[in-house]
Amino acid sequence: MSGEASRRTSLRALLNPRSAAAQVFALQALIVILLIAAAVTALWIQADRDSRRQSEREVLSVSEAIANAPGMVAALESKDPTAVLQPRIEAARKRSGVDVIVVMDTKGIRYTHPDPSRIGKKFVGTIGPSLAGRTTIEKAAGPVAAGKEATTVQAVVPVHGPGGSVIGLVSAGITVENVADLVQEQLPILLGAGAAALALSTAGTALVARRLRRQTHGLGPAEMTRMYEHHDAVLHAVREGVLIFDAGPRLLLANDEARRLLDLPADAEQRPVEELELDAETTRLLAADDTVTDEVHLAGDRLLAVNKRPTAPHGGPPGSVVTLRDTTELAAVSGRAQVARERLKLLYESGVRIGTTLDVVRTAEELAEVAVPRFADIVAVDLLDSVVGGHEPERDEVRHQMRRTAMAGGPETAWPLYAVGNLITFVQATPQMRALEQGRAVLEADLRQAVGWQEQDPDRTRAALEHGLHSLMTVPLQARGVALGMATFWRKGDSPSFEEGDLPFAEELAARAAVCIDNARRFMRERETAVTLQRSLLPRGLPKHGALDVAWRYLPAEAGVGGDWFDVIPLSGARVALVVGDVVGHGLHAAATMGRLRTAVHNFSALDLPVDELLGHLDELVSRIDSEEENIGDGGTGDAPDGQESEGITGATCLYAIYDEVTGVCTVARAGHPGPAVVQPDGTVTFPDVPASLPLGVGGHPFEMTELRLSEGSQLVLYTDGLVQDRNRDIDTGMQLLRAALEAEAGRSAEETCQAVLDATLPAHPSDDIALLVAHTRLLAPSKVASWDVPPDPAAVATVRAECGAQLGEWGLEEIGFATELILSELITNAIRYGAPPIRVRLLRDRSLICEVSDGSGTSPRLRRATTTDEGGRGLFLVAQFARRWGTRYTSGGKVIWTEQPLHNGVPDDRSGDAVADALLAQFDDTDS
C-alpha cells in the first residue's frame, strides 16, 4: 500500500507543472526532440552529399566519353560543328540520363544545347582549367532546357586535337536530386528511437522526483507553505523598504515599509513602474538599469537613501532588488545645501546681469532686479547724489541724504515706501545709517521691534507693517573704500525672515554691484569731461554772415565723445570758409586733438590761403604732431608722464570749402572725408565729384580742389561719416537715406533741413560722433558791387577816389566817405608805386563796406612805425586806424589788399576821434631818432 501511495505521489509531482519533477521531465523531452531534429538534419545533409557525389561521377563519365568519342575531332574541325554534333549529342544525352550536354569551342561558345536558342551563346561555368588540359567539376546555375533554369552539377572536359592541343570542350550537367524521399524513408526509425528515449526520460524523472523528496527531508506542501509565511512575516516586519522588479520592469514584490515610504497603491504588485503613480524622478530611478548605492532621493516629503542591485548575477531571474531607508532627519542639512546652491547660482547670475551698461541708474536697477524675488521681496537702491551725477563721492559728503535710484518688487504705489527719485534724509538710528557707519550689513529680523527704523517716518513705517513688511536688511555699497550708497532688502507676507546666515550673501552681492556702479560712475565722469572739453572747443555760436544762412548739429556717440568738429570762418572779400573734420577715436585725446586742429584751421584761414594749400599745411601739422607723440612714446626727446603712454593721431579727415558771395563759386577740397551734398533751388540733390585725397597725416601727397558754382538759394550740406555709416548700416544705405531726406525737405530753411536730416538718418544707437552743417547760400546783389580798373599813373588816384566817393553817395554812405577815400588813396598809391599792373579797385556793400585794391605783384606791404625823418611809411598806419580790419590775400595773379569798415561812424566804435589824432601825432614823435 505504501508503494502504491509513493507511485501516486510521484505521478502527481510529475503532472504538476510547477513541480521540479515536471520541469525536469519537460527539459528531458526537449532534449529528445532536439536530438531527433539533429538526426533528421544530419540525414538530410548526408543524403545531399551522397547525391552530389553520384552526380559528379555520372557527369564526368558522360563528358569524358563524348570528348573521346570517334569523330569528335573531325566534327569540331568541320565547317558547321553544330549541324554535325547537335543531333548526335542530343541522342547521347537522352541515352545517358543527364540533363544537359554542351559542346563548345575554346572561347566557351556553345555548339550544342538542349535548348537550340542557347546555341552560339556563352557557356555558363568555369572553362579556364579545362583549356589547360584539366577536368573541372562544379555546381552552377544555368539553362537546362527551353525556358528552364536549374542548379546543376557539371563537368567540363577538354577535347584534344591531333597534336595534343585543346580544340574544344565538352560539359555534361545533371540536376541535383531531391533527397526528401530518402529522408521520409528513414523518418519512422528516428521517431521510434525518440519515443523510446522519451520513455526512458519519464522513468528518469520519477527517480529524480524521489531524490528531491529525500533532499527536502520529507517536507510536504504544508511545511513549505509555513516556511514561506515565516519568510513573508520577516520581510514585512523590517523597517527597511524592499522592492523586487523583473526585467520589465514590473513590480513583483513590495513589503509594507516600501508601500508606506512610496505611498504605493494596494494593487501595486504585478504593475509596471510607470503605473505606480510615483513622481517622475522616482520612476526614472526605479526603471533605470544602473546600480545605486546610498543615493539620497527626495520622494514627496521624505528623504530616502536608495540602494539598487540586479538579481541576475546572483542566480536569480533578470530584474532588480531595491531597498529604501527613511533619512528624513537629513532634510534640514539637505535644505541648507540647496539654499547654498541657489545662492551660488544667484551670485553667478549677478555677475552676468549686473553691469551690462555703463549707466549708474541702470546698474542700480539691475541689482534690484537680480535680488527679486529669489532673495528678497522688495529691494531699494539709494545712492549719493554725487554718484548718480557721475562725480567722485567726497569722504566728508553728507551721507545721511540719499537719492532713491532704483526699486524692484512690484509697482511703487503698492508699498508705502519712498519712491524712486526721492531725496531721503535718514536719521541716525536707522539701519541704513548704522550700516554706513559700520561699513557692513545690518539686519532687522523683526521690523515690529526695530525702533530705529520706525523713527525714520512713523506714519510710513506703520503703513509698511500693515502691508506685511516684516524683515529688513541693509547693506552699504562701497568701492575703493568709499561709500557710494546702500541697498535695502525687505521680506513680506509668508516669506521667512532674514537670518544671520543671509548677511554674507547680501554683502557679496552688494560688493559686486558696487564695483559695477563705481565703474559706471567713473565712465560718466570721463564722458562728461570729454563732452565738456569738446563742447568748449566747438563753436558755441556761428557768426552772422550775409553770404550764408547756416544751421548745425553735433551729437556725441553713445560710447563717448569723439573728434568730430565743424566751423564757419568769415574771410575777406565777402567770403566765408566752411570746414568739417573728424579725428578717429573717442575720449579726451580725440577731443583735445580736435581742438588743436580747429585752432590751426582758424590760424591758417586768417592767412587767406587757398583751400588746397590750407589742407597741405594742416597735413604737415598732423604729421608733426604724430611724430612728436611717437617720439615721446618711444622714450625720445620728449618726456611722457609716468605710467602714461602717448597716443598719436591714428587718423584725421577734413573737408574745407570757401564760398564767395559775389561770384557764387564754392571752392572745395577734402582729405579722406566724405564729399558734400548740394541741394539745388529746384530740389535736385547732387553729390559733387570732389577729388578724394588721403587723410591728414599721411604726408607727401597734394590735395586737389574743385570749384562748384552754386545758384542763390542752394544748400551746401557737410557732414561726418557717423551720419551715413554705422556698424548696423553700410554707407550706401546711409547715403540713400540722406538723399531722400534732402529731397523731401527741398525749399526749407537750413534749420529745418538740418533737423529733418537727423530725424531720417540718425541710428538708434550711434556708435560714432555726428557733425552736420547745412549752409543756405545767398548772392550779393550786383548793385552792391562796384569796380574800377586803375591805370598805373599817380594822376589816376584822384579820379578813382572821386568815382568811389560818388558810389558811396549812391549807397547812402556819405558818413564814411572821407575815411574811405583816405584809405583808397593810400592803397591805390601804394599799388601804383610798389605794385605791378593790372591794378583794380572793388567796393562791396555788405554788412560792412569792403574796399579791395588788387595788383599783379606778390610783394606784401608791411605796417611799421615811421620816424620823424622818414618821408613815408605812415599810409598803412592810417589805413589800420580808420578800418576795422585789413589784410592781404594772395591770388594766382598777384595780391589783394582789403579793408573792412562799419557802415556808420567813420571811426571804429571803440575809438574816438581824439584817439586817432593822438595816434597820428605819435608817428612824428622824435624820441626814437
Side-chain angles (χ1 to χ4, degrees):
M1 190 67 181
S2 61
E4 183 68 16
S6 177
R7 285 193 296 272
R8 291 178 180 176
T9 302
S10 299
L11 182 61
R12 285 196 300 270
L14 186 63
L15 296 177
N16 186 2
R18 294 185 179 182
S19 66
Q23 293 174 359
V24 172
F25 174 77
L27 178 61
Q28 291 179 348
L30 178 62
I31 293 174
V32 170
I33 293 173
L34 291 177
L35 289 175
I36 294 173
V40 171
T41 302
L43 179 61
W44 190 288
I45 294 173
Q46 184 64 35
D48 180 75
R49 184 179 302 170
D50 294 340
S51 175
R52 180 174 178 179
R53 289 177 180 175
Q54 179 65 26
S55 299
E56 289 176 355
R57 287 193 297 269
E58 290 180 6
V59 297
L60 180 60
S61 63
V62 171
S63 298
E64 289 180 345
I66 294 177
N68 298 316
M72 177 59 68
V73 174
L76 290 174
E77 292 179 348
S78 66
K79 293 182 179 181
D80 189 0
T82 299
V84 176
L85 294 175
Q86 177 69 8
R88 299 178 183 178
I89 296 301
E90 279 301 295
R93 180 182 66 81
K94 294 176 180 178
R95 289 194 302 271
S96 64
V98 297
D99 293 313
V100 60
I101 299 177
V102 176
V103 181
M104 68 197 85
D105 62 9
T106 56
K107 296 181 181 179
I109 303 302
R110 300 187 185 100
Y111 289 143
T112 67
H113 195 274
D115 182 4
S117 64
R118 301 287 181 173
I119 297 174
K121 295 183 180 180
K122 189 76 173 180
F123 173 72
V124 180
T126 304
I127 64 175
S130 300
L131 294 175
R134 297 191 299 272
T135 299
T136 302
I137 300 176
E138 63 181 356
K139 183 184 287 188
V144 296
K148 178 181 178 182
E149 291 191 2
T151 301
T152 62
V153 176
Q154 61 186 16
V156 182
V157 178
V159 179
H160 296 280
S165 62
V166 177
I167 63 173
L169 303 173
V170 176
S171 173
I174 186 170
T175 304
V176 179
E177 281 187 314
N178 188 348
V179 298
D181 294 338
L182 180 61
V183 174
Q184 290 177 358
E185 295 175 357
Q186 301 294 331
L187 189 58
I189 299 174
L190 295 175
L191 292 178
L198 188 60
L200 293 175
S201 299
T202 304
T205 303
L207 295 175
V208 170
R210 291 181 62 185
R211 183 174 179 84
L212 289 176
R213 184 172 181 81
R214 287 197 303 268
Q215 289 180 344
T216 57
H217 303 286
L219 289 177
E223 292 82 359
M224 296 295 293
T225 301
R226 186 165 54 252
M227 182 178 292
Y228 171 78
E229 291 174 350
H230 292 167
H231 171 269
D232 192 61
V234 173
L235 178 67
H236 293 288
V238 296
R239 300 303 298 169
E240 184 167 314
V242 178
L243 301 168
I244 300 178
F245 295 91
D246 63 9
R250 185 166 50 109
L251 180 62
L252 300 178
L253 183 145
N255 67 352
D256 294 340
E257 183 68 6
R259 292 175 180 274
R260 184 184 69 84
L261 294 177
L262 296 179
D263 294 328
L264 294 176
D267 58 345
E269 293 182 356
Q270 304 302 322
R271 291 173 61 178
V273 174
E274 293 77 6
E275 298 179 7
L276 296 181
E277 302 177 3
L278 303 175
D279 60 87
E281 183 62 24
T282 303
T283 301
R284 184 201 63 78
L285 179 64
L286 296 180
D289 296 332
D290 302 336
T291 299
V292 177
T293 301
D294 289 334
E295 179 175 317
V296 178
H297 176 72
L298 186 63
D301 58 350
R302 296 185 179 93
L303 199 63
L304 305 179
V306 182
N307 288 273
K308 185 177 181 182
R309 294 290 184 275
T311 57
H314 302 286
S320 60
V321 176
V322 180
T323 62
L324 309 172
R325 291 196 312 274
D326 190 357
T327 57
T328 309
E329 63 274 8
L330 300 176
V333 177
S334 176
R336 288 193 292 270
Q338 180 67 21
V339 171
R341 286 195 296 269
E342 289 295 328
R343 295 288 170 81
L344 287 175
K345 184 178 179 181
L346 186 56
L347 282 178
Y348 170 77
E349 291 184 7
S350 69
V352 176
R353 294 175 55 185
I354 299 177
T356 58
T357 65
L358 289 174
D359 182 81
V360 171
V361 175
R362 181 56 193 154
T363 305
E365 292 173 350
E366 290 169 345
L367 167 59
E369 292 168 359
V370 163
V372 174
R374 293 163 61 183
F375 180 66
D377 296 315
I378 302 175
V379 177
V381 180
D382 306 318
L383 299 177
L384 295 170
D385 263 349
S386 58
V387 174
V388 176
H391 305 294
E392 185 76 24
E394 301 291 340
R395 292 187 179 273
D396 56 350
E397 186 175 353
V398 179
R399 298 186 182 181
H400 60 269
Q401 288 186 342
M402 295 278 180
R403 181 75 63 182
R404 177 136 300 175
T405 309
M407 198 168 180
E412 298 179 18
T413 56
W415 302 99
L417 302 172
Y418 293 106
V420 173
N422 285 4
L423 183 63
I424 308 171
T425 302
F426 292 101
V427 299
Q428 194 66 29
T430 58
Q432 288 82 356
M433 288 306 300
R434 284 188 284 136
L436 283 178
E437 292 176 355
Q438 298 172 8
R440 56 185 178 84
V442 172
L443 169 65
E444 292 288 356
D446 187 356
L447 290 180
R448 291 180 298 241
Q449 308 299 325
V451 179
W453 175 70
Q454 297 180 20
E455 289 181 1
Q456 173 67 33
D457 188 337
D459 295 335
R460 191 183 299 273
T461 54
R462 188 182 309 111
L465 292 174
E466 292 173 356
H467 278 75
L469 296 180
H470 59 76
S471 185
L472 172 149
M473 185 165 48
T474 183
V475 187
L477 299 174
Q478 301 180 101
R480 298 177 294 110
V482 178
L484 308 175
M486 70 186 71
T488 305
F489 305 88
W490 282 279
R491 284 184 179 173
K492 62 180 178 66
D494 297 333
S495 298
S497 299
F498 286 114
E499 301 175 351
E500 291 291 335
D502 296 321
L503 293 175
F505 171 78
E507 290 177 338
E508 177 65 22
L509 182 63
R512 297 188 179 199
V515 172
C516 296
I517 291 174
D518 190 55
N519 289 339
R521 178 198 60 77
R522 297 173 69 180
F523 171 78
M524 288 179 60
R525 182 186 61 182
E526 180 178 346
R527 187 176 187 277
E528 286 186 3
T529 302
V531 169
T532 302
L533 173 62
Q534 186 172 43
R535 292 197 181 278
S536 67
L537 296 174
L538 289 173
R540 299 187 179 182
L542 298 179
K544 297 294 183 180
H545 199 280
L548 298 171
D549 179 16
V550 179
W552 60 273
R553 292 291 188 278
Y554 169 76
L555 295 175
E558 285 189 351
V561 297
D564 290 17
W565 55 284
F566 64 92
D567 216 335
V568 178
I569 306 171
L571 302 178
S572 62
R575 298 174 307 135
V576 62
L578 302 172
V579 58
V580 175
D582 184 6
V583 176
V584 175
H586 295 87
L588 292 173
H589 180 75
T593 302
M594 176 272 293
R596 299 173 71 176
L597 295 183
R598 178 171 179 257
T599 301
V601 170
H602 266 273
N603 293 334
F604 293 144
S605 298
L607 300 177
D608 265 327
L609 298 176
V611 292
D612 55 342
E613 291 186 22
L614 185 141
L615 288 182
H617 286 293
L618 203 60
D619 178 61
E620 182 181 356
L621 172 64
V622 173
S623 298
R624 187 165 63 252
I625 294 174
D626 273 341
S627 178
E628 292 173 355
E629 295 287 356
E630 291 176 2
N631 192 26
I632 292 175
D634 294 339
T637 57
D639 296 324
D642 293 340
Q644 179 178 344
E645 295 183 0
S646 299
E647 298 183 61
I649 302 175
T650 57
T653 65
C654 183
L655 184 146
Y656 189 80
I658 295 179
Y659 176 69
D660 191 338
E661 181 186 10
V662 179
T663 62
V665 173
C666 182
T667 307
V668 186
R670 62 189 178 113
H673 200 84
V678 175
V679 184
Q680 303 293 345
D682 61 357
T684 303
V685 178
T686 61
F687 294 92
D689 186 14
V690 179
S693 300
L694 295 175
L696 299 176
V698 176
H701 298 275
F703 296 93
E704 299 183 49
M705 62 181 181
T706 299
E707 288 189 353
L708 308 177
R709 188 167 297 277
L710 304 180
S711 304
E712 185 171 11
S714 300
Q715 285 186 342
L716 183 66
V717 182
L718 309 181
Y719 51 90
T720 57
D721 58 357
L723 182 71
V724 295
Q725 190 173 11
D726 187 69
R727 61 168 64 100
N728 299 320
R729 183 180 68 193
D730 57 37
I731 191 170
D732 293 335
T733 303
M735 296 298 289
Q736 293 175 2
L737 293 175
L738 175 60
R739 179 189 291 274
L742 293 176
E743 290 175 347
E745 294 300 317
R748 300 291 186 91
S749 66
E751 184 66 30
E752 292 172 336
T753 301
C754 200
Q755 187 59 46
V757 167
L758 273 188
D759 294 340
T761 62
L762 183 66
H765 301 283
S767 58
D768 194 8
D769 293 14
I770 296 175
L772 174 64
L773 193 64
V774 178
H776 192 93
T777 63
R778 299 191 184 97
L779 287 177
L780 193 62
S783 60
K784 295 185 178 182
V785 181
S787 60
W788 297 269
D789 293 323
V790 181
D793 182 3
V797 175
T799 302
V800 175
R801 182 175 60 196
E803 292 178 357
C804 290
Q807 183 63 56
L808 294 176
E810 293 180 8
W811 287 342
L813 301 178
E814 297 88 348
E815 185 179 359
I816 60 172
F818 173 76
T820 303
E821 292 179 12
L822 179 60
I823 291 172
L824 289 174
S825 295
E826 292 296 335
L827 296 181
I828 296 172
T829 300
N830 283 342
I832 294 173
R833 180 178 298 178
Y834 305 110
I839 302 172
R840 186 173 180 81
V841 176
R842 188 172 72 164
L843 297 181
L844 306 176
R845 188 186 186 281
D846 197 11
R847 292 178 177 268
S848 61
L849 179 64
I850 301 173
C851 302
E852 295 181 343
V853 176
S854 60
D855 65 79
S857 172
T859 304
S860 176
R862 170 172 72 87
L863 180 65
R864 64 187 180 88
R865 185 181 182 88
T867 64
T868 56
T869 58
D870 290 337
E871 295 183 0
R874 298 175 180 83
L876 286 181
F877 182 80
L878 293 175
V879 171
Q881 296 300 315
F882 282 101
R884 183 167 58 189
R885 291 197 311 149
W886 75 282
T888 304
R889 72 173 182 270
Y890 295 93
T891 64
S892 58
K895 68 176 182 294
V896 176
I897 302 177
W898 56 270
T899 64
E900 287 187 9
Q901 300 169 255
L903 299 180
H904 56 85
N905 296 334
V907 181
D909 296 339
D910 56 348
R911 298 177 182 175
S912 64
D914 293 338
V916 175
D918 292 341
L920 292 174
L921 291 175
Q923 288 287 301
F924 296 93
D925 189 357
D926 58 357
T927 56
D928 296 334
S929 59

